Amino acid sequence: MKGITNCVSDLKLKEVINIVDGKRMGAITDIEIDVESGKLTAIVVPGNGRFLGLFGRSEDIVIPWDKINKIGFDVILVETTAFADMKHLDK
């Protein structure tokens, strides 16, 4: 089980980049796991800041696992063509 924990912590160190528009989405803040199957189903990145970051952050963005295109040494490339591909988590 220790190997799995190390893999998850390694993922959280990588920056997420959308290959559709080249936008940096930030580092993973959380993950979603299907408890029954034990499979990782989504990654969570921080939402965009609001007005210069003075009034907090918007909702976190959940990116489904099937939208992950490539996991590299330093980055995770995701392919999201529309905001509809992502759901938001209320803070």
Side-chain angles (χ1 to χ4, degrees), residues 27-41:
I28 295 174
T29 57
D30 205 354
I31 59 170
E32 289 186 0
I33 297 175
D34 180 343
V35 180
E36 290 181 16
S37 70
K39 292 184 180 182
L40 195 141
T41 59

Side-chain angles (χ1 to χ4, degrees), residues 71-87:
I71 300 176
F73 185 74
D74 294 328
V75 297
I76 297 174
L77 302 177
V78 299
E79 187 172 1
T80 57
T81 56
F83 222 60
D85 289 344
M86 298 175 272
K87 67 177 182 177

Side-chain angles (χ1 to χ4, degrees), residues 2 4 11 20 23 27 33 40 53 57 59-60 69 71 74 78 82 90:
K2 186 170 171 65
I4 292 173
L11 282 178
V20 173
K23 180 180 176 184
I33 297 175
L40 195 141
R57 253 188 18 231
E59 302 166 337
D60 287 342
N69 196 2
I71 300 176
D74 294 328
V78 299
D90 291 328

Side-chain angles (χ1 to χ4, degrees), residues 1-15 28 30-31 33 38 40 42-43 65 68 71-73 75-76:
M1 201 61 144
K2 186 170 171 65
I4 292 173
T5 303
N6 288 336
C7 290
V8 170
S9 64
D10 289 346
L11 282 178
K12 292 180 91 172
L13 297 174
K14 300 176 188 299
E15 185 168 16
I28 295 174
D30 205 354
I31 59 170
I33 297 175
L40 195 141
I43 58 175
W65 185 256
I68 296 174
I71 300 176
F73 185 74
V75 297
I76 297 174

